[in-house]
Amino acid sequence: MPHRHCRDVPVLAVAPAGPEGLANGLWRLELENPGFTGVKPGQFAMLRPPAWGFDPLWARPLSISRALDDRIVFHFLVAGRGTAAFTRLAPGEPVTVWGPLGQGFAVEPGAPTLLVGGGIGIAPFVEYAATHPTPGKLALLFGHRPPRSCYPYDELGAMIAVESFQDKTPEDIPRFVELLEKRIAEHAGGLVLACGPTPLLRSVKNLADKHGVRAQVSLENRMACGVGACLGCVAENPEGHRVQTCVKGPVFWADKVTL
Amino acid sequence: MDLRVDLGGLTLKNPVMTASGTFGYGLEFAPYGDLRSLGGIVVKGLSLKPREGNPVPRLAETPSGMLNAIGLQNCGAERFLKSMLPGLPWRETPVVANLYACDTLEFAELAGLLASAEGVAALEVNISCPNVQAGGVLFGQDPALAARVTEAVKARAGSKPVMVKLSPNVTDIVAVAKAVEGAGADAISLINTLTGMAVDVRTRKPRLANVVGGLSGPAIKPVALRCVWQVSRAVSIPVVGMGGISSATDALEFILVGAGAVQVGTANFLRPDFSFRLAEELPLAAQALGITDLSTFRGSLAVG
């Protein structure tokens, strides 16, 4: 049986990410490590402060950005009531956490690997780069709208080759897709790993297919339990079967999921 | 404190069961507690053939509750028996198979298949799911149909107890309860979800692809308590209560109004170790209230 935990652990720190994080709803949260070991980059945890009572009802899934012996770090975007409530947590306040959950990204030390992060989708790549046995084989292409300082971009830049693209208007997106195609084509024979909004994942899937590059995509989905029981977060596979994003994903091989 | 409960021939070591549809096939929760500590495990509703369920979105969060329209996605009875059941500690904790079918013949066939498995201790008949087109809650809304399904299942269940899960989406739940009791049910469980909906004024769309879904969670507890109270006074078979149980006190409230045992549903999503913690906390909470014997406490609500 996989080793997982459900514990109430204290908040160590919660703060906007960088000087412009507050204005852009981008935050960094650190919790005491509930006992997570052997976290695979791309895995996530469910977080629910007991102080919520019954409203909001569900825990919220957050991608694990960094798993250290003493703490786990999350980067998140304020997207609704639950994530907004995370920003009001105080240091020392307990949060019920369970995980690590789901399937992480493939790690292939010999393969040139392109990491594609869209916005807050950059988060799991911090752990990926920090634990990869051959970081010299890694490159990150980061697409974003708020300033780079709102994300752990510099943290990644200290470990691997990074490149960013800020889209300020919708007209910028085709230029980003052009760049994405160029980088994916350069990784023929390697691996492309992507996390971000669904349109980005769809582009990665299509371009990887076009250039014969193996690709994985990390899906984001509304979840109630996170453990495969509620069947609320299903994605569809090419055979038309509905599969749980929480346990069969969130990281899928791109050809095994319909986007 | 003696926590044992007899549910019409099904003996539980304590009154804490899991509710179908919220505990998967049981194994999903094994990393978070000892399945053997539970009174009973009611698994995800099973049909004869695998079902893919409804399109997404299937879930919506509501104040103190949630709506679901999963549509009984499941792996099918055969796969459950072959691949999941052997992994459950069925010798120590009774595994109850919840079953769903589209007509009485199919109910009978499925009941025969499930009851023949050694590791299945009892059957829970789902005549109350609001999220499927055929059958589902329709069986549970008509006392005569509910009785027919119960008879069909009972006829094929052999010596395994049959529990019928009722819907609150009826005018007179007691009439349905009496009908299934008359048809041979060994126990009754209630309530299934209340039909509800949630909409988004910005997109002008329903929040569920199925438009309507089943409401569960703490929001429905008052309705569930009322139903358990009404039904447990009207029938002589054991009643299992569920609907919004989120604490040991909630569980005791259901026992006070007449429930022999309880099932935990949505609270399993609040934290995956909830049912395990409840099994541990229930006797302590009872003792703290001066309750020394659950059987005399059961149904002892003072009215009038």
Side-chain angles (χ1 to χ4, degrees), chain A residues 57-58 60 231 241-242, chain B residues 52-53 58 61 73 271-272:
Chain A
L57 191 73
W58 296 329
R60 296 298 192 263
L231 298 168
H241 297 305
R242 296 193 171 115
Chain B
E52 292 295 338
R58 297 169 159 194
E61 200 177 37
Q73 179 174 349
R271 52 183 307 149

Side-chain angles (χ1 to χ4, degrees), chain B residues 15 40 83 107 129 138 178 207 297:
Chain B
S83 307
F107 260 116
C129 178
L138 293 178
K178 283 183 168 169
R207 291 191 187 274
F297 174 72

Side-chain angles (χ1 to χ4, degrees), chain A residues 65-237:
Chain A
S65 185
R66 197 74 179 92
L68 302 165
D69 289 346
D70 64 335
R71 64 190 59 212
I72 41 176
V73 181
F74 304 93
H75 291 269
F76 67 94
L77 169 70
V78 175
R81 286 189 319 135
T83 41
F86 285 157
T87 67
R88 296 189 290 272
L89 288 166
E93 192 175 333
V95 177
T96 306
V97 183
W98 60 98
L101 302 167
Q103 309 299 318
F105 286 110
V107 176
E108 296 182 6
T113 302
L114 175 68
L115 312 176
V116 180
I120 200 62
I122 192 174
F125 295 131
V126 181
E127 180 72 10
Y128 192 87
T131 58
H132 199 276
T134 53
K137 293 272 188 185
L138 305 181
L140 170 81
L141 174 59
F142 179 48
H144 60 105
R145 228 166 259 164
R148 250 174 21 195
S149 64
C150 299
Y151 303 94
Y153 179 78
D154 288 343
E155 208 175 321
L156 271 155
M159 297 185 276
I160 61 171
V162 294
E163 170 183 25
S164 69
F165 182 100
Q166 185 172 24
D167 58 79
K168 291 178 175 161
T169 69
E171 289 71 45
D172 290 335
I173 292 174
R175 290 199 298 117
F176 176 66
V177 175
E178 262 177 53
L179 178 62
L180 179 65
E181 175 159 15
K182 196 170 165 219
R183 294 291 173 263
I184 288 176
E186 286 165 5
H187 281 76
L191 198 56
V192 176
L193 311 176
C195 183
T198 304
L200 171 69
L201 302 184
R202 200 175 290 131
S203 295
V204 168
K205 176 182 160 81
N206 293 340
L207 293 171
D209 191 41
K210 181 177 168 186
H211 293 280
V213 186
R214 291 175 306 125
Q216 290 191 320
V217 291
S218 178
L219 269 53
E220 190 178 66
N221 226 326
R222 181 165 301 167
M223 296 174 185
C225 69
V227 302
C230 72
L231 298 168
C233 65
V234 291
E236 201 162 294
N237 71 14

Side-chain angles (χ1 to χ4, degrees), chain B residues 90-116:
Chain B
W90 52 267
R91 289 180 198 278
E92 292 92 357
T93 293
V95 173
V96 178
N98 179 289
L99 63 154
Y100 158 79
C102 294
D103 57 57
T104 46
L105 280 177
E106 200 180 318
F107 260 116
E109 188 183 347
L110 184 54
L113 176 68
L114 291 166
S116 65

